[in-house]
Amino acid sequence: MKQDMTLDILIQIAHGLAEHFGPQCEIAIHDVTRDLSNTIIHIENGQISGRTEGDAASNIVLEALHTPPEELKDQIGYLTRTADGRALKSSTVYIRDKSGSLRYIFSVNYDIASLKAVDELIRGLITTRPVTAQSDKEEQAGEKKQESVPRIPHTVTELLDSLIEHALAEIGKPVVMMTKEDKIKVVRYLNDAGAFLITKSGDRIASVLGISKFTLYKYMESDTP
């Protein structure tokens, strides 16, 4: 009964916040006790990410399930992206039951794409440069590495593919050129991200890395730093 009351209150808050901040504010409530393929039990302004009730878990849900409840800290104001690349300012609040176990995840995603466009326009108008231009070499050295931020998936398949993509990017080389140690790092990254909580993820990961499932599980238990 108390869990239902908690959910009713969360839905009430979600609706109020969505009304207050308008159609650019998406709010999703995940029930982490459900199957990963349909953790979203309520969503406001789902057109922002294209998700609906009954859709799959996100990276943040996997990470939460893979982390001891007492170590979970609310995450406020971080950057994510929609599947089509629009920037979102996101916040995540973890809701526990009376025993301290994680029950719900309350996620807020505000579409800041148009605000960033205005910001870039203003910066372009007010930014000045030194009289002496930088050399090509200096300009290249000053380039920033493209930021890597999680994208909100629609299905657990998309979620797994996204995690694998990030894991491979961390190594920075094609799979065919990876050493055993590189592949162990990939497996560890995916394990830490909770990828193996996804049904049949082992088959997919082993296939991508070109190894057997037996080897995959050996890599998971490896002590190689």
Side-chain angles (χ1 to χ4, degrees):
M1 181 67 177
K2 288 187 177 181
Q3 293 294 350
D4 292 337
M5 289 177 61
T6 299
L7 180 57
D8 288 343
I9 292 171
L10 291 176
I11 291 174
Q12 181 181 359
I13 293 171
H15 182 68
L17 288 174
E19 285 290 315
H20 180 82
F21 289 105
Q24 302 303 105
C25 181
E26 176 190 84
I27 301 177
I29 302 173
H30 294 268
D31 183 344
V32 301
T33 66
R34 300 180 66 169
D35 185 272
L36 290 175
S37 63
N38 61 354
T39 61
I40 296 180
I41 54 174
H42 183 80
I43 191 165
E44 300 277 348
N45 294 324
Q47 74 279 356
I48 291 175
S49 65
R51 297 179 298 170
T52 61
E53 276 187 30
D55 273 357
S58 62
N59 302 63
I60 204 75
V61 176
L62 274 188
E63 291 173 8
L65 290 173
H66 198 64
T67 304
E70 64 275 10
E71 295 180 11
L72 287 172
K73 305 290 185 183
D74 293 344
Q75 301 182 47
I76 308 299
Y78 59 94
L79 180 66
T80 56
R81 293 191 184 277
T82 60
D84 59 5
R86 285 179 293 116
L88 304 176
K89 182 177 181 180
S90 300
S91 292
T92 300
V93 178
Y94 302 104
I95 311 297
R96 297 168 174 82
D97 59 23
K98 189 175 181 180
S99 70
S101 298
L102 181 64
R103 178 61 193 270
Y104 300 111
I105 294 180
F106 190 91
S107 297
V108 180
N109 301 304
Y110 195 89
D111 188 345
I112 59 173
S114 57
L115 295 177
K116 284 179 72 68
V118 172
D119 178 63
E120 290 171 5
L121 176 62
I122 293 174
R123 284 177 182 272
L125 290 172
I126 66 175
T127 299
T128 59
R129 295 182 179 180
V131 174
T132 304
Q134 298 182 38
S135 67
D136 291 342
K137 185 176 181 180
E138 288 174 328
E139 288 179 355
Q140 290 174 6
E143 289 180 356
K144 292 183 177 179
K145 184 180 179 181
Q146 186 176 2
E147 59 183 344
S148 176
V149 296
R151 294 179 184 251
I152 297 177
H154 291 182
T155 66
V156 289
T157 300
E158 289 182 8
L159 175 56
L160 180 58
D161 287 345
S162 174
L163 291 172
I164 292 173
E165 179 183 341
H166 278 84
L168 297 179
E170 286 291 313
I171 302 301
K173 64 177 74 169
V175 173
V176 293
M177 297 179 63
M178 286 185 185
T179 64
K180 174 183 175 181
E181 288 70 26
D182 291 332
K183 293 182 179 181
I184 289 174
K185 289 179 182 178
V186 170
V187 172
R188 281 186 172 174
Y189 178 98
L190 292 171
N191 188 39
D192 290 343
F196 291 98
L197 294 172
I198 299 174
T199 304
K200 296 185 179 179
S201 58
D203 293 329
R204 170 71 174 143
I205 294 167
S207 175
V208 168
L209 293 178
I211 58 177
S212 67
K213 287 188 69 176
F214 174 76
T215 300
L216 175 68
Y217 295 130
K218 283 186 63 177
Y219 284 0
M220 290 176 67
E221 298 170 358
S222 173
D223 294 327
T224 302

